[in-house]
């Protein structure tokens, strides 16, 4: 198992896509951290104490995290789907003791890289928040740290979702296009349609919206803001999405014929 895990990491790290996909969220994290806290502090006089730090956590870090989740999912899809696209999956299965080991190692590798994306981006965003914003007091630091901790959980879930889609579709292009179309646009359109049909409650169960509920339901919100889903329902539902999509990908990888 250790040899298989080492081989998988070497396979991934020998290609460029693993670090290329991490550039975009890192740059967004740097710019968001550098801009949001100073700008928000200029507006704090009209909104009250704590406004700037709340905006920094909600926008400065959360915006960069949204790209982390997207690109972690894309990496997962590329890492698992590329073997089918390049027809190397047969060799991989033949050199391992069973398909379950191969799939398990792929999920583990994807999870580690997805967490790495999140850690690097969060550190960059937090460093620029401190550098350009003058730092946080104890309460503000706790709020930002909570968002960052939850970000790691969400990045892990989305990397596994992407890996599951890659195994399920057996297509790098198909799974990547599905993720890129669904997360920014598709889910929004489906949500609008559901609200138009009077089924808006169903929209809150969609994976991208659930992810935002996981992030924002764990931090202090204004009294007039009511979230449709809070803890622990939100993270449990995100785990359910991960189990379903990852499980379907795992099932197809271990049962379907490969050529």
């Amino acid at each position: 198992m250790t040899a298989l895990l080492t081989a998988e990491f070497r396979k991934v790290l020998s290609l460029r896509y693993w670090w290329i996909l991490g550039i975009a969220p890192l740059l967004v994290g740097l710019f968001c951290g550098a801009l949001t806290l100073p700008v928000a502090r200029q507006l704090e006089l009209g909104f009250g104490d704590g406004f700037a730090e709340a905006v920094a956590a909600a926008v400065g870090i959360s915006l960069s995290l949204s790209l982390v989740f997207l690109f972690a999912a894309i990496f997962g899809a590329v890492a698992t789907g590329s073997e089918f696209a390049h027809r190397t999956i047969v060799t991989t299965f033949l050199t391992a003791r069973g398909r379950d080991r191969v799939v398990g190692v792929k999920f583990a590798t994807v999870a580690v890289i997805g967490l790495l994306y999140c850690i690097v981006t969060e550190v960059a965003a937090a460093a620029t928040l401190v550098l350009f914003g003058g730092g946080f007091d104890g309460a503000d630091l706790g709020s930002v740290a909570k968002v960052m901790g939850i970000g790691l959980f969400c990045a892990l879930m989305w990397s596994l979702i992407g890996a599951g889609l890659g195994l399920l579709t057996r297509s790098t292009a198909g799974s990547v296009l599905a993720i890129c179309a669904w997360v920014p646009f598709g889910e929004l359109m489906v949500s609008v349609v559901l609200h138009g049909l009077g089924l808006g409650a169903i929209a809150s169960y969609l994976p991208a919206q659930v992810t935002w509920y996981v992030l924002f339901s764990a931090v202090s919100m204004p009294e007039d803001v009511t979230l449709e889903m809070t803890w622990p329902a939100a993270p449990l539902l995100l785990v359910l999405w991960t189990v379903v999509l990852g499980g379907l990908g795992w099932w197809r990888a271990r049962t379907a014929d490969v050529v």
Side-chain angles (χ1 to χ4, degrees):
M1 192 69 173
T2 303
L4 188 59
L5 188 61
T6 302
E8 186 66 26
F9 270 103
R10 287 178 177 174
K11 184 188 304 180
V12 170
L13 297 179
S14 65
L15 302 174
R16 296 180 179 178
Y17 68 85
W18 75 272
W19 60 265
I20 291 176
L21 290 173
I23 293 177
L26 175 60
L27 292 178
V28 171
L30 289 171
F31 282 109
C32 286
L35 296 176
T36 52
L37 190 53
V39 172
R41 279 187 171 150
Q42 296 300 317
L43 304 173
E44 191 170 37
L45 182 61
F47 289 90
D49 294 338
F51 172 79
E53 287 73 17
V55 171
V59 178
I61 294 180
S62 296
L63 182 59
S64 60
L65 284 178
S66 65
L67 278 187
V68 170
F69 305 154
L70 176 63
F71 279 85
I74 292 174
F75 169 79
V78 173
T80 54
S82 59
E83 289 235 44
F84 294 95
H86 296 291
R87 300 180 184 276
T88 59
I89 191 64
V90 175
T91 304
T92 302
F93 282 155
L94 289 175
T95 55
R97 297 179 180 178
R99 297 186 183 186
D100 287 333
R101 287 174 175 261
V102 174
V103 176
V105 164
K106 286 187 176 297
F107 274 117
T109 305
V110 165
V112 170
I113 300 296
L115 289 175
L116 180 63
Y117 284 171
C118 191
I119 291 171
V120 172
T121 302
E122 288 181 343
V123 169
T128 51
L129 280 173
V130 173
L131 180 63
F132 293 95
F136 302 104
D137 59 30
D140 300 328
L141 182 60
S143 178
V144 172
K146 186 182 293 186
V147 172
M148 294 171 67
I150 296 169
L152 290 172
F153 165 75
C154 294
L156 174 63
M157 294 297 103
W158 275 97
S159 63
L160 296 177
I161 287 174
L165 284 175
L167 292 173
L168 185 61
T169 63
R170 297 190 169 194
S171 168
T172 302
S175 53
V176 169
L177 285 175
I179 293 169
C180 292
W182 177 260
V183 175
F185 310 110
E187 187 163 313
L188 178 61
M189 296 175 62
V190 171
S191 180
V192 170
V193 171
L194 288 173
H195 279 87
L197 296 174
L199 301 173
I202 298 178
S204 61
Y205 291 88
L206 298 175
Q209 292 195 43
V210 168
T211 304
W212 286 112
Y213 289 137
V214 173
L215 277 174
F216 291 116
S217 64
V219 298
S220 298
M221 301 292 291
E223 294 182 359
D224 57 340
V225 176
T226 302
L227 297 176
E228 296 185 23
M229 189 177 301
T230 58
W231 282 62
L236 288 176
L237 187 56
L238 183 57
V239 170
L240 179 61
W241 276 109
T242 304
V243 170
V244 170
L245 294 174
L248 286 173
W250 194 313
W251 169 78
R252 191 176 186 204
R254 74 188 305 271
T255 57
D257 293 333
V258 292
V259 293

